[in-house]
Amino acid sequence: QVQLVESGGGLVQAGGSLRLSCAASGRTFSGYAMGWSRQAPGKEREFVAVINWSGGITYYADSVKGRFTISRDIAKNTVYLQMNNLKPEDTAVYYCAASSWDGNWPPLQSSYEYWGQGTQVTVSS
């Protein structure tokens, strides 16, 4: 079965760092873009970052630009999200997703075909 499994979440103080991982299994995501989104309780899911197949193109939400870095290891079928200088407003469940979008960059949020179950990130003040 196709699965995306996130890990690396936890509790951290403001200003701290975490690295999230998303391990894919069940299929080869050749040509897919891989992205991260997040959702806080009572709020809509919002885009965080995305990286293309080759890893040469990235795109970030303004709220995390300069603090978060997305990367991928194609051989390991894994995508990462390095989160630095975390803020309380970063508290959310973080989800990874895969998109076969072949249009304009970045992919539309509706184009993500596979989603993980999420990992909780809590940033205390």
Side-chain angles (χ1 to χ4, degrees):
Q1 186 66 45
V2 175
Q3 286 190 326
L4 298 176
V5 181
E6 302 95 336
S7 62
L11 175 64
V12 65
Q13 292 184 340
S17 299
L18 286 173
R19 190 181 79 157
L20 306 183
S21 298
C22 174
S25 62
R27 67 160 293 167
T28 300
F29 287 92
S30 178
Y32 278 68
M34 299 295 295
W36 288 93
S37 297
R38 65 188 183 185
Q39 187 169 28
K43 297 184 178 180
E44 294 184 352
R45 186 173 298 187
E46 65 175 342
F47 166 79
V48 174
V50 64
I51 188 168
N52 75 332
W53 168 245
S54 68
I57 305 174
T58 58
Y59 190 84
Y60 298 90
D62 289 341
S63 60
V64 305
K65 192 174 184 179
R67 299 188 297 120
F68 291 9
T69 302
I70 188 170
S71 62
R72 73 187 303 170
D73 186 329
I74 297 175
K76 294 182 178 180
N77 230 8
T78 300
V79 63
Y80 306 94
L81 184 68
Q82 178 66 46
M83 306 185 295
N84 297 325
N85 192 25
L86 284 161
K87 303 176 180 179
E89 51 262 45
D90 294 318
T91 296
V93 176
Y94 284 71
Y95 301 88
C96 69
S99 171
S100 60
W101 178 256
D102 195 30
N104 294 334
W105 190 260
L108 295 177
Q109 290 301 290
S110 61
S111 74
Y112 290 96
E113 302 164 43
Y114 301 95
W115 292 83
Q117 295 300 306
T119 185
Q120 177 71 49
V121 172
T122 302
V123 184
S124 64
S125 59

